[in-house]
Amino acid sequence: MLNNNASPYLVKLPLSLLILMMSGCVSSKNLAEHTTKPTPISPIMIAESKVIEGDGLFDDGRFDDEPLEDDGLFDDAQFDDEPLEDDGLFNDAQFDDEPIEDDSLFADDDDDLFSDDSAIEVVEQVEISDPFYYFNKAMFHVNDKLYFWVLRPTAEGYKAITPQFFRVGVANFFRNITMPIRFTSSLLQGDFESSGTELGRFAVNTTVGLLGVMDPADDYFDWQSNNQDMGLTLGKYGIGNGPYIVWPVFGPSTLRDTVGRSGDYFLSPLTYLQPDKLSISVQAVEKVNTTYFSLGDYEAFKQAYIDPYERMKEFYIEHRADRVAEE
């Protein structure tokens, strides 16, 4: 007889063995199923190894160890050790060890760029006195309008009705008849050669040149007029310009040249023509004829400068200074 306490073990043990036997059968069955079932393979992960047929681009024959034939592009003779002939472009004599002569282009003295050894040419600045500025500028505009409104149209009309030789003859006549101004001015300056030339010109042109209409003294004897006046004579004596003055009709001047122009007035034979209306008319013809020969000059001058008044003043002073400085 079995103890009652051992009876539960007798029941549990067989049951446990039975459960273990059943579980082992199930596990072996599942293992057999897992080993026999094929595993799906992705075609992307494992590609089939396939031999690619050659397309001929890389023919193994081209890379054989056989030496390549010489195509003549690189001739070994061109790289021979023979010396090249001298073409004369680079003469060795030019690179001799002889010292290069100093051409003084870079003299040592030139290093001192700020050397004060050389004399500095100082340009003399001529100070122009213009105490009558407002009057002068007003007269400048008056003469400007007089030119564009009266002188220029008259000169163009004069040009239209007169031939060129007539205008040249008129200019020669007035130059010949105003000889006393140039003769006296040259004489007072001590220029006897020029005064003698003016006297000879007057004699030849008045007689042979038909009262000065023609200029045979210049054409045949090369006796040229010197174009002197009393204002230049005063300048030769060291008299300064004085204040700048713009006169109506007569244009730019200075106090010195105004005095000189007064002397020219009394030396000109045109002043003594009678009646006075004849004198004024003849001088008006001279003014128109002179304006014809300078048509376009004043227009170009005005267009060239922003302030024509100031530039006209400077130009006049410079021009007269150059004339005074002439020998």
Side-chain angles (χ1 to χ4, degrees):
M1 292 291 295
L2 295 174
N3 194 3
N4 294 332
N5 296 330
S7 58
Y9 296 100
L10 294 175
V11 177
K12 293 180 181 179
L13 182 61
L15 290 175
S16 300
L17 292 174
L18 182 61
I19 292 171
L20 289 174
M21 290 178 63
M22 293 179 67
S23 61
C25 294
V26 172
S27 298
S28 60
K29 186 180 181 181
N30 292 334
L31 180 62
E33 291 177 357
H34 286 290
T35 52
T36 54
K37 188 176 181 179
T39 303
I41 300 174
S42 172
I44 298 175
M45 296 180 63
I46 301 177
E48 182 178 3
S49 60
K50 187 183 289 184
V51 178
I52 300 173
E53 296 180 358
D55 54 1
L57 294 176
F58 301 95
D59 189 0
D60 296 336
R62 297 185 178 183
F63 303 98
D64 290 341
D65 297 334
E66 296 179 359
L68 297 175
E69 295 180 358
D70 187 4
D71 54 4
L73 293 177
F74 300 96
D75 189 1
D76 296 337
Q78 298 178 2
F79 305 98
D80 288 342
D81 296 333
E82 296 178 358
L84 297 175
E85 296 180 357
D86 187 4
D87 53 4
L89 293 177
F90 300 96
N91 189 2
D92 295 337
Q94 298 177 1
F95 304 98
D96 287 342
D97 295 334
E98 296 179 357
I100 301 175
E101 296 181 356
D102 186 5
D103 54 2
S104 70
L105 289 178
F106 300 96
D108 295 338
D109 296 339
D110 295 341
D111 295 338
D112 192 359
L113 298 177
F114 302 96
S115 176
D116 198 19
D117 297 337
S118 60
I120 300 176
E121 183 179 357
V122 178
V123 178
E124 184 179 358
Q125 298 291 335
V126 179
E127 184 178 356
I128 303 175
S129 175
D130 192 4
F132 312 114
Y133 173 80
Y134 296 104
F135 170 81
N136 292 338
K137 194 140 190 186
M139 291 300 104
F140 177 83
H141 288 292
V142 168
N143 290 335
D144 181 81
K145 301 303 180 186
L146 182 64
Y147 173 80
F148 284 105
W149 292 354
V150 179
L151 280 178
R152 179 179 172 180
T154 305
E156 291 178 344
Y158 173 75
K159 173 186 175 183
I161 61 175
T162 57
Q164 177 69 13
F165 73 89
F166 178 84
R167 296 188 290 268
V168 173
V170 171
N172 290 336
F173 171 79
F174 283 113
R175 173 163 290 278
N176 185 66
I177 202 172
T178 55
M179 180 276 297
I181 299 175
R182 297 183 298 276
F183 172 80
T184 306
S185 299
S186 299
L187 190 65
L188 292 176
Q189 295 176 28
D191 190 354
F192 300 106
E193 181 179 358
S194 295
S195 58
T197 301
E198 286 294 333
L199 191 60
R201 280 178 49 85
F202 181 78
V204 172
N205 289 344
T206 303
T207 55
V208 182
L210 305 176
L211 299 177
V213 175
M214 302 175 66
D215 193 0
D218 188 12
D219 297 337
Y220 299 102
F221 300 101
D222 196 21
W223 293 347
Q224 299 178 358
S225 180
N226 58 31
N227 201 26
Q228 291 291 330
D229 56 53
M230 294 301 294
L232 295 176
T233 301
L234 296 175
K236 294 283 186 181
Y237 282 98
I239 299 176
N241 289 308
Y244 179 72
I245 305 174
V246 179
W247 294 110
V249 180
F250 298 105
S253 183
T254 60
L255 179 59
R256 183 197 66 194
D257 291 342
T258 299
V259 176
R261 188 183 293 274
S262 301
D264 296 340
Y265 175 80
F266 290 106
L267 289 173
S268 174
L270 299 178
T271 306
Y272 303 98
L273 290 176
Q274 293 296 326
D276 294 340
K277 292 181 180 179
L278 177 62
S279 176
I280 295 173
S281 300
V282 171
Q283 294 184 60
V285 172
E286 180 193 15
K287 186 70 174 178
V288 172
N289 194 75
T290 304
T291 302
Y292 157 75
F293 286 101
S294 61
L295 278 175
D297 294 347
Y298 181 68
E299 292 88 332
F301 175 84
K302 283 196 66 178
Q303 293 177 355
Y305 299 102
I306 299 175
D307 191 345
Y309 170 79
E310 291 293 336
R311 187 64 189 107
M312 177 67 78
K313 178 172 62 176
E314 296 171 355
F315 176 77
Y316 179 80
I317 296 298
E318 293 171 359
H319 174 68
R320 297 295 287 181
D322 293 340
R323 294 291 310 279
V324 171
E326 291 178 354
E327 295 293 337

